[in-house]
């Protein structure tokens, strides 16, 4: 990500930054390689798509010649039978339609006005065949022949997507449907593409009914039909006779699928990976076509992202609520409340980072990274200084979000194969604890003592159940019914209760099953909040006191907490903690609001977190210990819990959906549900349960977790609690400066001196970070 603030008078300095950081593309006068798609071959000429334009090159490679230059995308080229023109999909007038263009160059001519047409083939008589939904009574594509005068003839087939003519000029080999949209490898569902034969009259006959997978992209040569199929597990070129017999494999790719192919004079040119390949059907030889391009490669230039929030993929609060960590455009930053330095934790331009979160010690960050070539979990220093450490290894599929246990000893995570894993941060071992045949795992939540992991999984009947896993015994147990959806488990601070959401209020808004627009029930506000006592003998904290159960006097620690709350300093009002603005020696201190100091890394969080008692779960007769929380049903989501109250999102039923943050005190005083904030996007409670991150509009606020609606609507409170995003762009100036080579140290010292003299308009965060970092030796990850 390239992010900066354009400031008055800073043009010369920014230009210098750009000049150094944006290194010129390497290569000679012959150009460089690109990414090539949708080839079409005729004789010795290949037309393909790259950089959103059409290019032409010889079948033996060389320097390609650009044919189109419109700002839209030109693709799906089909060279005519005489080799003089090419049909393609273009966007010259806005909608995607079919155009033709002389191969020697010229003005494109629009051939369709349908908005969905795709060129398929050229008929022997010179007419262009396209596939379109325009003339179908159902949402299915049909094949249409177009002449040069605007005349059209619909091929008498109910459906048609891809096609190739036989040697007689009448027989058509075709597929019925367009490529299934899921891009699932080895797809064998009901939308799989198959090849058919149509002789011009009567019924079409299937040719590949023996294969339940995909057979598509028909081509014809020498009385055989060539096509793409995944019969060997990877999409390759196969062939068969005109009756669908004698199937042979022609190409032998073992990595990437062949995406598209074209055939002419016994040569198949196909797109595989980023390259075009040539397959000689006479000799069986396969080779990459060496293509270079002469272009400015504008899409590869460094560019400035002025609004990183447009590329935000995740944001999470730090354990003590002093900072938040943002993942935007594949890079990771931590930002403080109000003033303080912006830290780029991870931002290698060749690596994508996802789902970054603070670890419980607050000193480190866990994130998914592609640095090893696969998506693995890596551990990074939160201050962005020292080297990263790879945690997981040898993944085979895409990993999803990881959740660390409160003691930092475990990392729970899941993957695209619907597997649930526990990573031991001490032994560095990753263990699979469950795999589902019915759906993904979600809502991973650790108990306060780090001994139990709660999560949701899909039951055989597709309802969502909450289960728990014990890391000591390895036991896994479902604790909710498979007759309702149950989600968002949340552990109470004392480990006695597990709260969750479940859609058990089934009251339809449809009065009866009769009527033009009343075919089925509609359930608005079906979700209730439930509490599950984990051991027998517990009494709900929401039940009123009686003679047998009088209110207990406040505990000593509660009185201490109340006294401390009265004496909170400005740090509790949203100001950053002392640790944020100091060096590593001060990073071990707790916030000023706590008024205490401890020694050693991570000691601040240890001091703030109470030592949890051991959580026990008695699985006997769990349903009898389940009760409703006294809250009316709603469209609830994301239940979370502080020490003293439950918080969740309540959504409207209409579109676009509006979300409100609601909270309820965990007490028996008859408190009403309070709408703390309206029209928000999301929220998150910190690990110590003392702070609350709220995303509203394009702002992020970190407030006390016990904040009331009146305080959240107070502009002064919000100003003190707002994460300052205005300097996020300035921090990228620093990142680009430190990307420069060490041989330019003297030149950059001069630039830094210039910046230091302009503190009034550059801003102190930029100066404060640049000067000390440059004078110190740069580490590999600094």
């Amino acid at each position: 990500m390239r992010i900066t603030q354009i400031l008055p008078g800073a043009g010369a300095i920014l230009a210098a930054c750009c000049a150094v950081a944006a290194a010129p593309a390497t290569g000679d006068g012959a150009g460089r390689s690109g990414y090539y798609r949708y080839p079409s071959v005729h004789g010795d000429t290949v037309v393909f798509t790259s950089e959103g334009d059409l290019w032409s090159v010889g079948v033996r490679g060389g320097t390609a010649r650009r044919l189109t230059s419109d700002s839209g995308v030109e693709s799906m080229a089909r060279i005519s039978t005489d080799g003089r023109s090419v049909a393609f999909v273009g966007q010259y007038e806005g909608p995607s339609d079919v155009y033709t263009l002389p191969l020697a160059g010229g003005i494109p001519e629009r051939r369709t006005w349908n908005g969905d047409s795709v060129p398929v083939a050229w008929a022997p008589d010179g007419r262009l065949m396209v596939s379109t939904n325009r003339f179908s009574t159902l949402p299915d594509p049909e094949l249409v022949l177009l002449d040069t005068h605007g005349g059209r003839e619909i091929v008498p087939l109910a459906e048609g997507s891809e096609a190739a003519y036989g040697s007689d000029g009448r027989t058509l080999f075709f597929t019925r449907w367009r490529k299934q949209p899921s891009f699932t490898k080895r797809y064998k569902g009901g939308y799989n593409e198959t090849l058919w034969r149509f002789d011009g009259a009567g019924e079409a006959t299937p040719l590949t009914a023996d294969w339940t997978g995909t057979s598509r992209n028909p081509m014809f040569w020498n009385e055989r039909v060539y096509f793409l199929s995944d019969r060997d597990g990877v999409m390759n070129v196969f062939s068969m006779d005109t009756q669908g017999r004698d199937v042979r494999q022609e190409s032998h790719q073992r990595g990437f699928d062949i995406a598209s192919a074209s055939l002419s004079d016994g040569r198949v040119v196909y797109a595989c990976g980023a390259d075009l390949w040539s397959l000689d059907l006479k000799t069986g030889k396969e080779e990459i076509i060496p293509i270079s391009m002469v272009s400015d490669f504008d899409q590869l230039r460094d560019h400035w992202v002025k609004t990183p929030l447009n590329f935000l993929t995740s944001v999470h609060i730090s354990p003590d609520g002093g900072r938040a960590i943002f993942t935007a455009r594949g890079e990771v930053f931590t930002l403080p409340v109000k003033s303080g330095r912006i830290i780029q934790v991870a931002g290698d331009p060749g690596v994508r980072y996802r789902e970054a979160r603070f670890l419980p010690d607050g000193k480190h960050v866990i994130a998914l990274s592609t640095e090893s070539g696969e998506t693995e979990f890596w551990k990074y220093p939160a201050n962005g200084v020292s080297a990263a450490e790879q945690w997981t290894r040898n993944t085979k599929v895409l990993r999803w979000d990881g959740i660390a246990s409160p003691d930092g000893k475990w990392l729970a995570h899941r993957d695209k194969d619907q597997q649930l894993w526990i990573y031991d941060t001490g032994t560095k071992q990753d263990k699979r604890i469950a795999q589902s045949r019915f759906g993904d795992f979600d809502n991973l939540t650790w108990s306060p003592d780090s001994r139990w992991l709660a999560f949701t999984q899909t039951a055989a009947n597709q309802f969502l159940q909450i289960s728990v896993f014990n890391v000591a015994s390895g036991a896994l147990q479902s604790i909710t019914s498979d007759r309702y959806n149950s989600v968002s488990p949340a552990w109470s601070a004392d480990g006695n209760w597990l709260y969750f959401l479940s859609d058990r209020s089934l009251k339809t808004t449809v009065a009866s099953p009769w009527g033009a627009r009343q075919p089925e029930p509609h359930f608005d506000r079906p979700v209730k909040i439930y509490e599950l006592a984990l051991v027998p003998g517990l009494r709900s904290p929401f039940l009123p006191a009686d003679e047998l159960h009088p209110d207990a006097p406040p505990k000593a620690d509660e009185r201490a907490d109340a006294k401390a709350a009265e004496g909170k300093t400005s740090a509790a009002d949203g100001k950053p903690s002392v640790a944020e603005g100091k060096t590593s020696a001060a990073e071990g201190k707790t916030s000023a609001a706590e008024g205490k100091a401890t020694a050693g890394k991570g000691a601040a969080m240890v001091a703030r977190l109470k030592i949890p008692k051991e959580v026990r779960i008695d699985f006997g007769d769990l349903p009898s210990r389940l009760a409703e929380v006294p809250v009316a049903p709603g469209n609830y989501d994301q239940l979370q819990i502080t020490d003293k109250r439950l918080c969740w999102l309540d959504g409207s039923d209409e579109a676009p959906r509006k979300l409100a943050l609601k909270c309820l005190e965990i007490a028996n005083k008859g408190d009403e549900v309070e709408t703390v904030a309206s029209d928000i996007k999301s929220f998150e409670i910190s690990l110590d349960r003392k702070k609350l991150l709220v995303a509203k509009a394009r702002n992020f606020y970190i407030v006390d977790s016990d904040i009331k609606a009146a305080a959240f609507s107070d502009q002064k409170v919000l100003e003190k609690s707002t994460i300052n995003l205005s300097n996020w762009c300035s921090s990228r100036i620093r990142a680009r400066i430190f990307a420069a080579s060490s041989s330019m140290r003297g030149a950059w010292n001069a630039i830094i001196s210039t910046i230091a003299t302009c503190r009034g308009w550059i801003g102190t965060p930029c100066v404060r970070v640049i000067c000390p970092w440059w004078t110190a030796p740069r580490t590999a990850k600094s």
Side-chain angles (χ1 to χ4, degrees):
M1 186 189 309
R2 304 302 176 199
I3 308 167
T4 186
Q5 278 186 312
I6 304 302
L7 303 171
I13 298 175
L14 295 182
C17 293
C18 293
V20 175
T26 58
D28 53 25
R32 59 183 294 174
S33 298
Y35 183 81
Y36 315 128
R37 301 185 298 159
Y38 306 120
S40 178
V41 60
H42 182 277
D44 293 332
T45 301
V46 178
V47 174
F48 61 92
T49 295
S50 186
E51 295 187 336
D53 295 324
L54 295 185
W55 299 70
S56 174
V57 74
V59 293
R60 293 176 177 80
T63 302
R65 177 172 62 95
R66 192 189 295 265
L67 297 178
T68 63
S69 59
D70 185 63
S71 59
V73 176
E74 293 84 57
S75 61
M76 307 282 189
R78 293 289 185 271
I79 302 177
S80 62
T81 53
D82 61 8
R84 295 182 178 180
S85 60
V86 58
F88 60 96
V89 175
Q91 300 170 330
Y92 289 92
E93 278 87 33
S96 295
D97 264 304
V98 176
Y99 294 77
T100 55
L101 175 77
L103 267 179
I107 300 175
E109 177 185 356
R110 189 170 183 176
R111 301 295 297 274
T112 65
W113 285 261
N114 305 327
D116 70 341
S117 298
V118 176
V120 172
W122 291 85
D125 61 7
R127 290 185 294 175
L128 173 63
M129 177 181 286
V130 300
S131 175
T132 178
N133 292 341
R134 167 74 181 277
F135 308 104
S136 175
T137 57
L138 296 173
D140 294 318
E142 289 183 317
L143 299 175
V144 181
L145 289 165
L146 307 175
D147 62 28
T148 56
H149 303 291
R152 62 173 181 264
E153 175 188 347
I154 299 177
V155 178
L157 291 170
E159 299 160 325
S161 179
E162 299 174 313
Y165 279 97
S167 58
D168 60 4
R170 180 172 55 89
T171 302
L172 199 63
F173 302 95
F174 70 98
T175 61
R176 294 171 57 191
W177 302 314
R178 289 179 179 171
K179 187 178 185 301
Q180 58 90 10
S182 72
F183 293 93
T184 301
K185 291 176 70 68
R186 297 174 289 280
Y187 177 83
K188 293 187 178 181
Y191 207 64
N192 63 317
E193 301 150 283
T194 57
L195 294 182
W196 296 67
R197 172 184 171 135
F198 179 59
D199 295 327
E203 294 289 333
T205 57
L207 297 181
T208 57
D210 62 317
W211 176 244
T212 58
T214 297
S215 300
R216 63 179 184 85
N217 203 149
M219 302 165 283
F220 187 87
W221 178 72
N222 200 22
E223 300 307 316
R224 289 187 67 81
V225 180
Y226 294 82
F227 59 99
L228 300 182
S229 182
D230 54 2
R231 297 173 185 234
D232 71 333
V234 177
M235 200 69 72
N236 270 296
V237 179
F238 289 78
S239 70
M240 61 185 173
D241 64 23
T242 57
Q243 302 301 318
R245 299 185 293 265
D246 187 26
V247 177
R248 306 172 189 168
Q249 184 168 352
E250 304 290 348
S251 70
H252 299 85
Q253 291 293 333
R254 292 291 178 265
F256 292 106
D257 284 345
I258 295 178
S260 58
S262 177
L263 189 156
S264 176
D265 298 336
R267 184 189 302 273
V268 176
V269 174
Y270 60 79
C272 184
D275 297 303
L276 299 186
W277 289 66
S278 172
L279 167 62
D280 191 329
L281 297 176
K282 299 174 183 177
T283 64
K285 182 179 180 181
E286 298 179 69
E287 59 184 351
I288 292 179
I289 301 176
I291 302 173
S292 62
M293 301 165 58
V294 178
S295 170
D296 61 359
F297 297 98
D298 182 64
Q299 73 280 2
L300 299 180
R301 295 178 62 246
D302 285 344
H303 64 281
W304 301 100
V305 177
K306 299 179 181 179
T307 312
L309 282 183
N310 293 343
F311 303 92
L312 186 68
T313 55
S314 71
V315 56
H316 297 288
I317 192 171
S318 65
D320 64 353
R323 283 181 168 263
I325 187 164
F326 291 75
T327 306
R329 200 175 171 84
E331 300 185 21
V332 179
F333 302 83
T334 68
L335 283 76
V337 177
K338 291 200 71 178
S339 62
R341 65 189 182 105
I342 298 171
I343 301 172
Q344 183 179 12
V345 176
D348 189 322
V351 177
R352 182 187 177 185
Y353 306 91
R354 295 188 297 110
E355 291 295 344
R357 290 177 181 266
F358 279 97
L359 288 174
D361 64 1
K363 305 296 181 182
H364 297 90
V365 167
I366 188 72
L368 286 165
S369 167
T370 60
E371 185 169 344
S372 66
E374 296 290 348
T375 304
E376 302 282 9
F377 283 101
W378 287 63
K379 174 184 170 184
Y380 299 88
N383 60 11
V385 176
S386 57
E389 176 189 354
Q390 183 175 352
W391 273 10
T392 62
R393 301 177 185 273
N394 304 320
T395 184
K396 296 180 180 179
V397 295
L398 190 62
R399 298 188 190 273
W400 301 133
D401 196 9
I403 307 296
S405 61
D407 61 6
K409 295 180 180 179
W410 310 97
L411 179 75
H413 61 97
R414 56 196 179 94
D415 63 27
K416 196 172 183 180
D417 273 349
Q418 299 173 179
Q419 300 178 112
L420 182 61
W421 300 80
I422 296 289
Y423 177 80
D424 188 328
T425 62
T427 65
K428 312 301 181 185
Q429 297 298 312
D430 208 16
K431 179 182 179 181
R432 187 180 71 181
I433 62 172
Q435 183 170 19
S436 173
R437 296 185 295 125
F438 310 111
D440 289 326
F441 297 94
D442 204 356
N443 300 149
L444 311 185
T445 309
W446 287 96
S447 64
D449 66 349
S450 302
R451 292 179 173 91
W452 297 90
L453 174 70
F455 55 90
T456 59
Q457 62 177 343
T458 307
N461 61 359
Q462 296 300 299
F463 280 98
L464 297 175
Q465 281 183 283
I466 296 176
S467 299
V468 292
F469 172 79
N470 185 280
V471 294
S473 66
L476 192 153
Q477 177 73 40
S478 295
I479 60 174
T480 62
S481 170
D482 63 355
R483 298 304 177 185
Y484 307 93
N485 290 306
S486 299
V487 297
S488 290
W491 303 83
S492 64
D494 58 12
N496 290 333
W497 300 88
L498 186 70
Y499 296 90
F500 63 92
L501 305 176
S502 189
D503 57 354
R504 307 189 184 194
S505 180
L506 306 180
K507 296 181 180 180
T508 177
T509 60
V510 178
S512 70
W514 298 279
R517 293 177 175 84
Q518 295 181 333
E520 59 186 21
H522 170 69
F523 299 112
D524 182 26
R525 314 195 72 77
V527 181
K528 290 185 175 183
I529 304 177
Y530 290 85
E531 59 180 4
L532 178 63
L534 299 181
V535 293
L538 295 178
R539 190 170 188 270
S540 171
F542 296 100
L543 290 178
D546 55 30
E547 293 180 354
L548 298 178
H549 305 90
D551 283 337
K555 297 179 181 179
D557 57 345
E558 292 178 352
R559 292 194 299 268
D561 288 344
K563 185 177 181 180
E566 295 175 357
K568 284 183 179 180
T569 65
S570 59
D573 294 328
K575 292 186 178 181
S577 64
V578 176
E580 290 171 3
K582 303 298 181 179
T583 61
S584 57
E587 288 174 351
K589 295 182 180 180
T590 57
S591 64
E594 299 296 321
K596 297 181 180 180
T598 56
K601 293 183 178 181
M605 282 308 305
V606 173
R608 290 176 66 101
L609 294 174
K610 299 177 182 178
I611 299 176
K613 72 173 185 178
E614 181 179 352
V615 176
R616 296 185 301 109
I617 302 179
D618 186 336
F619 294 103
D621 202 18
L622 280 174
S624 68
R625 304 201 299 271
L626 181 66
E628 292 183 12
V629 172
V631 175
N635 299 312
Y636 299 152
D637 196 10
Q638 296 185 31
L639 178 67
Q640 298 180 47
I641 187 171
T642 72
D643 286 339
K644 298 181 180 180
R645 65 177 180 172
L646 296 170
C647 296
W648 64 90
L649 293 179
D650 189 11
S652 60
D653 191 44
E654 69 275 1
R657 192 183 188 202
K658 294 183 178 180
L659 300 175
L661 173 61
K662 296 190 174 182
C663 294
L664 175 68
E665 298 294 324
I666 304 176
N668 58 0
K669 306 302 182 183
D671 297 296
E672 296 292 331
V673 174
E674 182 180 22
T675 301
V676 176
S678 300
D679 199 15
I680 71 169
K681 294 181 178 179
S682 62
F683 80 103
E684 185 174 87
I685 295 172
S686 62
L687 180 62
D688 65 4
R689 307 187 185 226
K690 297 182 182 298
K691 292 293 182 178
L692 182 70
L693 170 67
V694 179
K696 181 179 174 68
R698 297 181 68 83
N699 294 312
F700 296 86
Y701 307 96
I702 294 181
V703 296
D704 290 337
S705 61
D706 58 356
I707 190 171
K708 301 296 183 179
F712 196 86
S713 60
D714 188 333
Q715 192 61 34
K716 292 183 179 179
V717 174
L718 294 184
E719 288 177 358
K720 295 178 180 179
S721 307
T722 303
I723 295 178
N724 185 3
L725 303 176
S726 61
N727 288 324
W728 192 354
C729 298
S730 298
S731 68
R732 292 299 292 142
I733 298 176
R734 180 215 62 180
R736 298 190 67 138
I737 287 175
F738 289 107
S741 63
S742 58
S743 62
M744 302 190 66
R745 182 179 299 266
W748 281 109
N749 278 332
I751 293 177
I752 293 168
S753 298
T754 305
I755 294 176
T757 62
C758 304
R759 295 180 58 158
W761 53 266
I762 283 289
T764 55
C766 183
V767 176
R768 191 183 306 157
V769 174
I770 289 178
C771 296
W773 279 47
W774 186 253
T775 56
R778 180 175 178 236
T779 64
K781 287 291 180 179
S782 61

